[in-house]
Amino acid sequence: MAKLLIVDDQPDIQLIVRMSLRRLAWQGQPLDIHTVDSGEASVQFIQEHPDTCVVIMDVMMEHERAGLDATLAIHALNPRVQVIIHTAQAALFSEQEVILNYPITNYLTKSSDSGARLGNMVLLALKNYARLQAL
């Protein structure tokens, strides 16, 4: 079962993301979805659960770069973990800056139509994780 972590400081966003992924499966198994509410908690989660495949990361939590800082820390712990940035604050950091300077798999702004796109991004991230595991 593929382990996925949702990192967002807003419980309603955690719920929306969880609900949008509830029917998603990987290799015939449902996803094992977990949530935390801070960048710091996400790093601790990865330390305790090194088998996590995908992280869906908000950017602004404890401070305006918390998610980006956590992404770097997670990558240092396990470079195979696939991080998808999921942010409502796209104006603060350019999408291109984040893509070029951080070890992420994808970048998505929070919007009413992001649920289906996020599911496809998670599937692509799981494929990337599986390929890296096979190496």
Side-chain angles (χ1 to χ4, degrees):
M1 187 178 301
K3 190 172 290 181
L4 180 138
L5 178 64
I6 300 165
V7 186
D8 202 297
D9 60 346
Q10 297 179 6
D12 56 330
I13 298 294
Q14 290 180 5
L15 180 62
I16 290 167
V17 172
R18 181 184 282 275
M19 294 303 290
S20 71
L21 299 176
R22 73 183 180 279
R23 290 192 178 104
L24 202 61
W26 177 248
Q27 298 178 340
Q29 297 282 323
L31 300 179
D32 182 16
I33 300 174
H34 300 264
T35 58
V36 296
D37 63 3
S38 70
E40 185 178 319
S42 71
V43 174
Q44 182 177 349
F45 184 91
I46 297 300
Q47 288 172 327
E48 295 169 3
H49 303 274
D51 60 334
T52 303
C53 303
V54 178
V55 175
I56 299 171
M57 180 75 71
D58 187 18
V59 173
M60 285 188 63
M61 291 175 287
E62 309 95 301
H63 57 85
E64 69 179 22
R65 299 185 77 90
L68 298 176
D69 293 346
T71 296
L72 293 173
I74 288 168
H75 183 73
L77 289 169
N78 185 348
R80 289 177 282 203
V81 175
Q82 304 294 296
V83 178
I84 299 169
I85 295 294
H86 188 230
T87 184
Q89 305 299 328
L92 288 178
F93 308 100
S94 84
E95 184 174 343
Q96 192 172 60
E97 172 196 351
V98 174
I99 289 169
L100 290 173
N101 295 313
Y102 292 89
I104 66 169
T105 303
N106 224 317
Y107 183 104
L108 181 65
T109 56
K110 294 175 186 175
S111 67
S112 60
D113 68 339
S114 67
R117 292 187 58 222
L118 183 59
N120 289 335
M121 287 181 181
V122 167
L123 290 175
L124 287 169
L126 288 167
K127 280 180 60 177
N128 286 338
Y129 183 86
R131 273 187 283 220
L132 290 171
Q133 285 290 92
L135 293 177

